[in-house]
Amino acid sequence: MLMQAVGVHEVEELMTLATGDEKHAASATSTLDVLYVLYEHVLRVDPANPGWEERDRFILSKGHGPVAYYAVLARKGFFPREELARFMQHDSILGAHPDRAQVPGIEASTGSLGHGLPIAVGVAYALLAKGLTEQRVIVLTGDAELNEGSNWEAILHAGAAGLANLALVAIDNRSSSIRIDPIREKLAAFGWDAVEVDGRDHDELRAAFERRSAGPTAVVAVVP
Amino acid sequence: MRDAACEAIVDVFRDDERTALVLADISLDRLEPAFRHDPRRVVNVGIMEQTAVGVAAGFALEGYRPIVHTLAPFLVERPLEQLKLGFGYHRQEGLFVSAGASYDYSEYGMTHHSPGDVAALATIPGLEAIVPGTAREAADAVRRSHGDGRATYLRTSVSENSAERELAPGGLTKVRTGAALTVIAVGPMLDRTLAALEGIDASVLYATTVLPLDAATLAAEAAPAAEVLVVESFAEGTLAAQVSAALSHRPIRLASHGVPREVFSRYGTIEEHDRAHDLDARGIRRRALAFLAA
């Protein structure tokens, strides 16, 4: 736990370099521990070779508040940490929403809500078609993002298709303006193997991400 | 034309293991051979077109060449943002083959009409749009666009021209030379436009690739007269900006004649819609003569 805390602290320090998007600070900090656990313990990725075919895929569907994401990627070595200080500048690679064409390690360009999950379904199919059965695609949405109907199309389809190499992590920081809870039960009703965990508890998050099932899995990470 | 396009899709799917096919409960019977050939690369998502295009984008990001097929309003207008982001912003290759052009579903009402599809797609940078005039041209377009690295929209229609044409590489083919008028006839509008122009001294350019319109050929082949008439099988004025830009080096007088930008409340046959909108040969001739006389 001590090593985890040190690592998260490093990410938080790096996040202070990227300023200017304070209105999405809650969106950024709510994802911090989930992203840390994913990149530290769960995802098989290679910062020296971001396009490594046998990597796991991660899509930050909501795109909003990507500072924690950028800080985690920089700490892993996907791009120089100095780039964080140029966040949102005209000639920076780091915009307020991530662009896969510019940022090493980013799988999908996101920011408009409700696009990442359908794309992740396509990636999951593509991995299976390639015979990459051990690899997973993990997609992160916010709780408010789940207002978008396109997510529920994809959730319905993936549940019905039994896409076991697809995992969703929904950050529930109670940001939806309409009632969206209980998210876990809704996902379960669509055929997903879903659990709810404390979104700040690294052990719970790690255990939840390591679960496998006959169909798609979901982790509802509650962040008060 | 739709059948020919689907047969070509199956051919391409069989020939190239990097092809993925994404469907939304439409034309499953026509494309069934693809399911039998390699079900790992075919997904019928159900009736969810936003997800169909999103899934196709996911395949594309993994190096596949996705083909998506459904009816035009549900392939373009409903998932327009998925096309813009998944393929425009992501700069990915994909082929989007529609059925049910403009008012092909003439009895179904406006929910199944899509005259604005190409105009909507023109807002996506780099997207190519092809409007074939015959079944063979549609099949050739499937094969030609596959593997070209671009996002391409292929608009099949019930209406067809009677004869094949040897198409110019840029998709704007000169089929008649005249001096008093330049006419650009889009896809299935060609035959009726040629019939309408009988006795009129007009150059006729046959447009099958409409995004982008071949500006160089238009500039080189336009008639000496200032008058330019565009006969469009989709929303009237869709090509006006491209035509104006291509001929910006000279004075022109431009008229667009296509599907009117109105709410339709009539049913009946395609031919009845054509007559109502002056898009049969007689109507096109009336519009051309009025334009020349104005």
Side-chain angles (χ1 to χ4, degrees):
Chain A
M1 286 297 289
L2 180 62
M3 290 301 290
Q4 288 177 356
V6 170
V8 170
H9 183 64
E10 284 180 11
V11 174
E12 288 175 318
E13 286 289 314
L14 289 171
M15 290 173 68
T16 65
L17 299 175
T19 59
D21 190 30
E22 283 71 24
K23 69 180 179 182
H24 288 117
S27 183
T29 56
S30 68
T31 62
L32 171 61
D33 292 276
V34 164
L35 291 168
Y36 178 81
V37 169
L38 282 173
Y39 278 87
E40 202 64 20
H41 300 296
V42 180
L43 296 170
R44 287 168 295 183
V45 292
D46 180 0
N49 183 15
W52 176 43
E53 183 71 351
E54 295 182 18
R55 72 192 183 281
D56 291 317
R57 276 66 165 170
F58 172 76
I59 295 174
L60 182 77
S61 181
K62 68 176 185 172
H64 291 48
V67 171
Y69 188 24
Y70 291 155
V72 166
L73 291 176
R75 181 174 175 274
K76 293 293 287 185
F78 280 93
F79 54 83
R81 298 178 179 206
E82 294 73 29
E83 192 64 36
L84 293 166
R86 303 196 318 123
F87 175 56
M88 293 202 310
Q89 292 180 11
H90 187 66
D91 59 352
S92 173
I93 64 170
L94 304 178
H97 299 122
D99 181 353
R100 77 183 295 272
Q102 301 196 69
V103 188
I106 294 209
E107 301 282 355
S109 305
T110 52
S112 179
L113 302 176
H115 288 264
L117 193 40
I119 289 173
V121 172
V123 171
Y125 273 117
L127 292 176
L128 295 174
K130 290 177 181 179
L132 295 173
T133 55
E134 295 301 313
Q135 285 68 21
R136 285 200 297 173
V137 53
I138 299 179
V139 57
L140 183 153
T141 69
D143 59 320
E145 183 181 10
L146 291 174
N147 291 178
E148 295 282 4
S150 53
N151 288 310
W152 294 98
E153 286 188 359
I155 290 167
L156 172 63
H157 178 85
L163 284 175
N165 62 342
L166 174 66
L168 163 68
V169 52
I171 303 289
D172 186 2
N173 63 344
R174 308 290 198 259
S175 62
S176 175
S177 60
I178 65 163
R179 182 178 171 184
I180 189 78
D181 63 308
I183 297 173
R184 191 200 71 78
E185 285 80 355
K186 287 183 169 73
L187 291 166
F190 279 73
W192 289 57
D193 187 346
V195 296
E196 182 176 294
V197 300
D198 178 342
R200 296 295 188 206
D201 187 310
H202 292 199
D203 293 332
E204 279 193 31
L205 286 167
R206 189 172 176 178
F209 285 128
E210 287 175 353
R211 286 167 49 255
R212 295 295 183 114
S213 180
T217 55
V219 177
V220 180
V222 178
V223 180
Chain B
M1 193 187 292
R2 175 183 182 176
D3 289 343
C6 286
E7 287 171 12
I9 289 170
V10 171
D11 289 346
V12 162
F13 184 87
R14 283 181 173 138
D15 292 345
D16 179 7
E17 291 187 351
R18 289 179 60 194
T19 308
L21 181 57
V22 184
L23 304 171
D25 265 6
I26 295 293
S27 298
L28 300 183
D29 51 347
R30 292 174 171 87
L31 295 162
E32 195 272 338
F35 285 90
R36 274 191 282 116
H37 181 74
D38 187 354
R40 298 172 306 167
R41 294 186 282 123
V42 193
V43 180
N44 174 32
V45 295
I47 306 169
M48 46 178 80
E49 293 83 5
Q50 294 179 77
T51 287
V53 177
V55 166
F59 268 111
L61 292 176
E62 288 297 322
Y64 284 88
R65 295 162 172 157
I67 300 174
V68 188
H69 168 65
T70 188
L71 305 187
F74 316 126
L75 183 57
V76 175
E77 290 159 331
R78 187 192 295 257
L80 183 62
E81 195 192 12
Q82 277 77 11
L83 292 166
K84 168 193 159 190
L85 299 182
F87 290 87
Y89 188 23
H90 279 99
R91 304 170 180 86
Q92 295 297 312
E93 175 176 336
L95 177 62
F96 305 90
V97 181
S98 72
S102 288
Y103 41 75
D104 276 357
Y105 286 98
S106 57
E107 300 159 326
Y108 284 40
M110 196 165 169
T111 60
H112 283 59
H113 295 172
S114 62
D117 52 355
V118 174
L121 292 170
T123 61
I124 300 176
L127 191 138
E128 178 184 55
I130 299 174
V131 184
T134 69
R136 198 183 77 188
E137 289 171 7
D140 289 348
V142 169
R143 297 185 178 99
R144 196 174 58 248
S145 61
H146 186 74
D148 69 358
R150 306 184 65 170
T152 299
Y153 176 61
L154 177 64
R155 188 186 209 253
T156 72
S157 60
V158 172
S159 299
E160 294 187 25
N161 301 316
S162 60
E164 313 295 345
R165 298 277 170 178
E166 191 67 35
L167 301 181
L172 187 63
T173 306
K174 191 171 191 179
V175 297
R176 200 179 123 177
T177 300
L181 175 66
T182 300
V183 178
I184 299 167
V186 173
M189 292 290 111
L190 179 61
D191 274 5
R192 66 192 76 183
T193 298
L194 290 171
L197 296 174
E198 197 172 320
I200 299 176
D201 184 20
S203 281
V204 176
L205 297 164
Y206 175 39
T208 47
T209 299
V210 294
L211 293 177
L213 195 66
D214 183 349
T217 295
L218 177 55
E221 300 292 352
E227 283 69 27
V228 179
L229 172 65
V230 186
V231 182
E232 296 164 298
S233 56
F234 35 64
E236 189 168 283
T238 297
L239 300 186
Q242 291 190 84
V243 174
S244 296
L247 299 176
S248 60
H249 60 286
R250 50 175 276 193
I252 63 165
R253 202 160 65 84
L254 174 64
S256 297
H257 178 39
V259 180
R261 298 183 183 227
E262 301 170 358
V263 174
F264 292 173
S265 54
R266 301 289 185 184
Y267 304 104
T269 65
I270 295 171
E271 291 74 20
E272 286 174 308
H273 281 266
D274 285 342
R275 277 197 296 279
H277 305 312
D278 272 352
L279 284 170
D280 60 352
R282 184 177 296 184
I284 294 168
R285 182 175 183 83
R286 185 163 51 243
R287 295 292 187 101
L289 291 173
F291 175 53
L292 289 172

